[in-house]
Amino acid sequence: MKFKILLSAYACEPNKGSEPAVGWNWALEISKMGHEVWVITRLNNKKTIDAYPSIPHNLHFIYYDLPSKILKFKKYFGTRIYYFLWQINISNLAKKLHNTYNFDLVHHITFVTLRFPSFLYKIEAPFIFGPVAGGEEPTLKLINSLPLRYKVYEYIRLLSNRSLKINPFSNSALESSKVIFCATEDTKNVLSEKFKYKSFVNSAIGISNTPRHCPTLKSIKNVDVFHLLYVGQIIPLKGIHILLKSIAFLKNEGINVHLTIIGRGNYQIHLQKLSQLLNIDNQIEWVKWLPQEELHEYYKKGHLLVFPSFHDSGGFVILEAFSNGMPALCLDIGGPNQIVNSSCGIKISTKNTSIEQIIIGFADSIKLLKNDELLLTSLSQGAINRAHEFSWSKIVNSAYDVIDSKLKNNEHSYFA
């Protein structure tokens, strides 16, 4: 079935990562399926969208920002409050658009966080929520390994998840949703039981069908140094401190590896001091954000992506690594837990596990891959195969197959 669809995509830009990539690629792929699509997004996304060389004729953008008096205070009261106010205000705009176009579906795409509600369920058309995330939670032992400020933040986040059932804004959006897509099983698990009958797990993130480079299988033959790669924000929640301690553990066993950390963040100085204290600073290379082409050079020359994040809902860098034949090592939490399987990487268990055991788990896994050519090459091939399973077209089509089947089967409990 072909629909007229209104999308809410606060973040929506081509050739970007994270939330902007989610908004853009879902909008683009839905339009490629033949649906007529209108996207409400931020005005500051217009420049990059207009520069895109081939926007489909059935993909339309409506740009909206709050009044300039409010916008100029955004840097003081933060993105979350601005986003909340933006969501409230676009509901009036959406009603006017619905009166004109008579949409078949209204679909909220970004932000993808469950705790940030959408108000488009008020439109008199079936409301699709997500994929949303936010239910990913680290263990208390992982939380307690963080600096005080982040530890407090994580406990507040846990409390917020526990209070979802009494959150009037989130509850109203969930109650009114005809289908709820959850980016991870963790998020589905924090939903109230009364919503689970209409909840489906569907990744929010994907990767282009056309990789920039022809990937080659990873090998340790004739290699002097085993290269680890981390790409992302340098903040406590990314778990880099655990990774550094794993490298120090390996060094004490006489095993030297090299870690390249690409990114930026307010935790870098602390981590640099930690690496000096652990006497591994000569094994760590710090690189600022890079253009995509230069970043892919690091994917090509590295052996293993290390991603010890505490609760990412997605993991774009994992998919990028996979498309370059690089397997991944991560924790069994959130998006990485769903992306990485035994064919393309290794996951470290966090359940009933101490920080020391997690550190040793990372160290043992790195040592294993450093010494096992057959396993590394097998996981490298598995990573390439896994990347194909996460193409944007497959991710978006899988969600719309669910929606389409509900309409075809006339399941009025979903689409009244």
Side-chain angles (χ1 to χ4, degrees):
M1 297 178 67
K2 302 305 178 186
F3 306 131
K4 288 187 290 184
I5 303 172
L6 178 65
L7 296 184
S8 169
Y10 177 91
C12 180
E13 292 180 87
N15 304 316
K16 294 285 182 73
S18 193
E19 297 265 6
V22 173
W24 170 259
N25 284 287
W26 275 77
L28 186 63
E29 292 298 332
I30 293 170
S31 71
K32 287 180 180 179
M33 294 168 64
H35 303 301
E36 198 78 19
V37 182
W38 286 260
V39 184
I40 303 179
T41 189
R42 285 283 315 278
L43 180 61
N44 66 343
N45 299 330
K46 187 176 189 302
K47 183 177 179 181
T48 51
I49 291 174
D50 286 348
Y52 190 76
S54 53
I55 296 176
H57 65 88
N58 57 331
L59 180 56
H60 319 279
F61 291 92
I62 299 99
Y63 300 100
Y64 178 81
D65 266 336
L66 295 175
S68 57
K69 290 182 179 179
I70 298 177
L71 184 59
K72 71 179 182 179
F73 286 107
K74 178 173 175 280
K75 63 181 180 181
Y76 299 111
F77 54 70
T79 299
R80 295 181 182 184
I81 294 178
Y82 183 86
Y83 172 79
F84 183 82
L85 296 173
W86 187 87
Q87 284 289 346
I88 292 174
N89 279 268
I90 66 164
S91 62
N92 291 326
L93 172 60
K95 288 176 183 177
K96 293 177 182 178
L97 291 169
H98 184 50
N99 288 336
T100 301
Y101 298 108
N102 191 27
F103 298 115
D104 299 303
L105 295 174
V106 178
H107 190 168
H108 172 89
I109 299 292
T110 64
F111 285 152
V112 299
T113 304
L114 181 63
R115 293 180 300 276
F116 296 170
S118 171
F119 296 95
L120 293 190
Y121 64 84
K122 296 181 178 181
I123 308 302
E124 293 183 3
F127 177 61
I128 312 301
F129 197 26
V132 290
E136 305 76 28
E137 297 177 356
T139 64
L140 297 182
K141 290 177 181 177
L142 284 170
I143 292 175
N144 289 331
S145 75
L146 296 170
L148 179 60
R149 172 188 169 191
Y150 285 85
K151 191 183 302 183
V152 171
Y153 169 82
E154 283 302 302
Y155 277 109
I156 292 173
R157 184 176 178 276
L158 288 177
L159 181 62
S160 177
N161 279 349
R162 300 298 181 273
S163 64
L164 273 173
K165 294 177 183 179
I166 58 172
N167 182 322
F169 301 113
S170 295
N171 232 29
S172 295
L174 292 168
E175 188 78 51
S176 302
S177 300
K178 304 306 179 183
V179 175
I180 302 166
F181 290 113
C182 299
T184 64
E185 285 285 353
D186 296 329
T187 294
K188 184 176 179 180
N189 289 339
V190 302
L191 295 180
S192 171
E193 286 297 325
K194 66 180 179 180
F195 300 135
K196 289 185 178 178
Y197 77 96
K198 57 180 177 179
S199 302
F200 302 84
V201 176
N202 197 101
S203 176
I205 67 169
I207 194 166
S208 171
N209 283 306
T210 308
R212 290 179 173 83
H213 306 282
C214 181
T216 55
L217 298 182
K218 300 301 178 183
S219 172
I220 51 177
K221 290 180 179 177
N222 304 316
V223 170
D224 295 326
V225 179
F226 192 72
H227 287 278
L228 308 174
L229 178 66
Y230 169 86
V231 181
Q233 290 181 296
I234 304 174
I235 57 176
L237 293 173
K238 295 298 183 178
I240 304 172
H241 57 291
I242 288 176
L243 182 59
L244 295 181
K245 291 176 181 178
S246 297
I247 293 173
F249 183 90
L250 287 171
K251 184 173 184 179
N252 289 336
E253 291 192 341
I255 301 170
N256 289 322
V257 296
H258 183 274
L259 169 64
T260 300
I261 297 175
I262 300 177
R264 61 188 174 203
N266 56 16
Y267 207 43
Q268 181 170 334
I269 293 176
H270 173 86
L271 292 173
Q272 287 173 328
K273 291 178 179 178
L274 177 61
S275 66
Q276 291 170 0
L277 183 66
L278 295 171
N279 195 28
I280 59 168
D281 51 305
N282 63 335
Q283 296 173 243
I284 314 297
E285 177 186 5
W286 301 87
V287 180
K288 294 181 179 179
W289 285 124
L290 294 171
Q292 279 293 318
E293 287 302 318
E294 293 182 39
L295 178 58
H296 277 269
E297 289 302 312
Y298 280 89
Y299 286 129
K300 286 170 65 178
K301 71 180 183 182
H303 294 103
L304 178 66
L305 181 81
V306 282
F307 197 72
S309 179
F310 285 9
H311 57 62
D312 267 61
S313 62
F316 274 110
V317 295
I318 295 177
L319 295 180
E320 288 177 354
F322 283 179
S323 70
N324 284 277
M326 179 181 283
L329 174 61
C330 66
L331 297 173
D332 63 343
I333 303 173
N337 185 42
Q338 291 189 187
I339 295 172
V340 179
N341 60 31
S342 59
S343 75
C344 54
I346 298 175
K347 296 184 288 192
I348 305 301
S349 175
T350 59
K351 308 298 185 292
N352 302 314
T353 307
S354 69
I355 296 298
E356 290 73 22
Q357 289 172 315
I358 292 173
I359 290 169
I360 295 171
F362 270 98
D364 287 346
S365 298
I366 293 168
K367 179 168 63 175
L368 174 64
L369 293 176
K370 182 181 184 297
N371 295 325
D372 193 330
E373 165 77 10
L374 186 62
L375 178 59
L376 179 64
T377 303
S378 174
L379 293 180
S380 180
Q381 181 62 65
I384 295 169
N385 297 340
R386 187 69 167 155
H388 290 303
E389 296 176 27
F390 279 83
S391 68
W392 279 114
S393 60
K394 288 183 179 179
I395 293 300
V396 176
N397 273 270
S398 68
Y400 270 76
D401 282 347
V402 171
I403 296 169
D404 194 42
S405 69
K406 299 304 176 186
L407 287 181
K408 283 182 178 178
N409 291 332
N410 294 315
E411 291 194 20
H412 298 294
S413 60
Y414 282 91
F415 296 94

